[in-house]
Amino acid sequence: MPTPSHLSSKDPRYFDFRAARRVPETHAWPGLHDHPVVDGGHSAGEDAVPVVDMRDPGAAEAVARAAEQWGAFLLQGHGVPHELLARVEARIAGMFALPATEKMRAVRRPGDSCGYGSPPISSFFAKSMWSEGYTFSPANLRSDLRRLWPKQGHDYRLFCEVMEEFHGEMRALSDRLMELFLAALGLTGEQATAVEAEHRIAETMTATMHLNWYPKCPDPKRALGLIAHTDSGFFTFVLQSLVPGLQLFRHGPDRWVTVPAEARDAFVVNVGDLFQILTNGRFHSVYHRAVVNRDSDRISLGYFLGPPADTKVAPLREAGGKPAYRAVTWPEYMAVRKKAFTTGASALKMVSASTSDDDLSDLFSS
């Protein structure tokens, strides 16, 4: 399986995006312009990315429409302080500005889930992406980041403190959004409480944080910040700087919709594959990518929520209808997803209810 040349364990040389005057073939992607790109701002009509304000009494209905029709929305009125988000963005920018030798101390090795490097998804592709990333678990934040700051000095302490504060806010917000999602399925407060008591979905959710830096690019029409994909877990909060780059794929006709970045403090919420399974297809995951531009760097943070590794995810009976998917754990689904990436198949179709026990077992073990 190919790995990105600039961060490969076999060739640990650092690709200096700042010094690049052209896009090398290793980073040049074909087929980037097979579909038109349209603006997703509030005046874009049917292509306007949905906005959900958590303070609105009709927020649940707005979530239902967005999750069913788009698989994503902009979330406002969430209560996470603006000044905290500004500090988070500043800390991320400072981390990616560190010298290459310091960042490479924390390079993510094959099999590692945390550390510095290209997006984890890049290992499935021969081409490299125009971005750098850092992944860590909030539960192990300080030990994970000691790889980057082994002396645990001022920058380390400040970074950890800001990210711990952010994690606290986001974990509470995750619980509130889960309540909103259950209400969007049509559950009453009493029914939602019963679902949580039975399945402990919100209580046991685990979080992962992925920081992204998309440097400005000398030829953005040839490069790609993040390959098109769906998220695998329940749902993802995306905090992005005021530079557009995130695009959502829509059908009828096929097109890419650019998510507006001018909405200060708004999170993008992406529905993930396991949430599509949990809601029995009522809410669907969204195919998305990140593009780069010539004039500005872009920073984003993905806060990913999903189930514990040993928890089977199956359609909730409260979602209605005959179960459309088989029960899978997150690691089992990732094994299927890996196979799907290498064959061009759909991972969700591979775990549909029509898949036989033998075929499913083969997928998990492959």
Side-chain angles (χ1 to χ4, degrees), residues 67-110:
E68 290 170 356
Q69 299 173 14
W70 283 73
F73 51 89
L74 286 164
L75 185 69
Q76 297 179 334
H78 46 70
V80 181
H82 165 77
E83 60 85 21
L84 172 59
L85 300 181
R87 284 189 286 128
V88 167
E89 186 174 330
R91 288 297 101 199
I92 295 173
M95 188 202 74
F96 284 118
L98 291 172
T101 52
E102 296 184 24
K103 289 186 287 189
M104 291 297 287
R105 285 195 297 246
V107 69
R108 188 170 51 247
R109 296 175 293 269

Side-chain angles (χ1 to χ4, degrees), residues 109-144:
R109 296 175 293 269
D112 287 350
S113 58
C114 296
Y116 166 78
S118 293
I121 198 175
S122 63
S123 63
F124 297 107
F125 301 94
K127 295 291 186 177
S128 297
M129 299 176 204
W130 203 265
S131 60
E132 296 179 11
Y134 200 104
T135 305
F136 59 87
S137 164
N140 304 310
L141 187 153
R142 291 185 177 256
S143 58
D144 283 349

Side-chain angles (χ1 to χ4, degrees), residues 2 23 26 46 51 173 175 195 200 206 218 221 224 241 243 251 259 272 276 280 307 328 337 342:
V23 174
T26 54
E46 66 175 10
V51 177
L173 177 59
D175 290 347
V195 166
R200 299 172 59 230
T206 61
K221 291 185 178 181
L224 189 62
S241 58
V243 177
H251 296 288
V259 178
Q276 180 166 330
N280 204 31
V328 292
R337 185 175 159 97
T342 58

